[in-house]
Amino acid sequence: QKVEAIQLTQDNLADVIDWCGQDSAHRPRAYSNRENVMLRNGSGLTAAWPSNWVVRDADGLLKVYTDKRFQELFSPAGEQVK
């Protein structure tokens, strides 16, 4: 399954929030509380911490994975942006 992903760092909180986009009601799908990013998804809120990966699946759902789990489940398939 093809997904898009971005790794959260201390320096890119705002970039990750922008990357997450808006929901169907035009509300931001993510916000920061200075140390992490909180993601709104179908089941409520999920916290993403620096070094975690935020993944957008084919249905547009956002999920959070630790770096270790992300590396186990996914492999690069195209352009990599750091």
Side-chain angles (χ1 to χ4, degrees), residues 48-67:
W49 296 89
S51 82
N52 286 164
W53 287 85
V54 179
V55 173
R56 182 185 300 125
D57 70 14
D59 296 324
L61 296 176
L62 299 173
K63 299 178 183 179
V64 177
Y65 294 91
T66 63
D67 184 51

Side-chain angles (χ1 to χ4, degrees), residues 22-27 29:
Q22 298 179 341
D23 65 14
S24 59
H26 304 288
R27 297 175 302 186
R29 294 177 69 188

Side-chain angles (χ1 to χ4, degrees), residues 23-58:
D23 65 14
S24 59
H26 304 288
R27 297 175 302 186
R29 294 177 69 188
Y31 63 91
S32 173
N33 65 5
R34 293 191 214 152
E35 296 179 5
N36 67 350
V37 170
M38 298 300 295
L39 304 170
R40 291 184 178 95
N41 55 32
S43 61
L45 292 173
T46 303
W49 296 89
S51 82
N52 286 164
W53 287 85
V54 179
V55 173
R56 182 185 300 125
D57 70 14

Side-chain angles (χ1 to χ4, degrees), residues 7 51 53 65-73:
Q7 189 172 29
S51 82
W53 287 85
Y65 294 91
T66 63
D67 184 51
K68 180 180 178 186
R69 188 68 177 145
F70 180 83
Q71 300 299 332
E72 292 170 353
L73 294 174

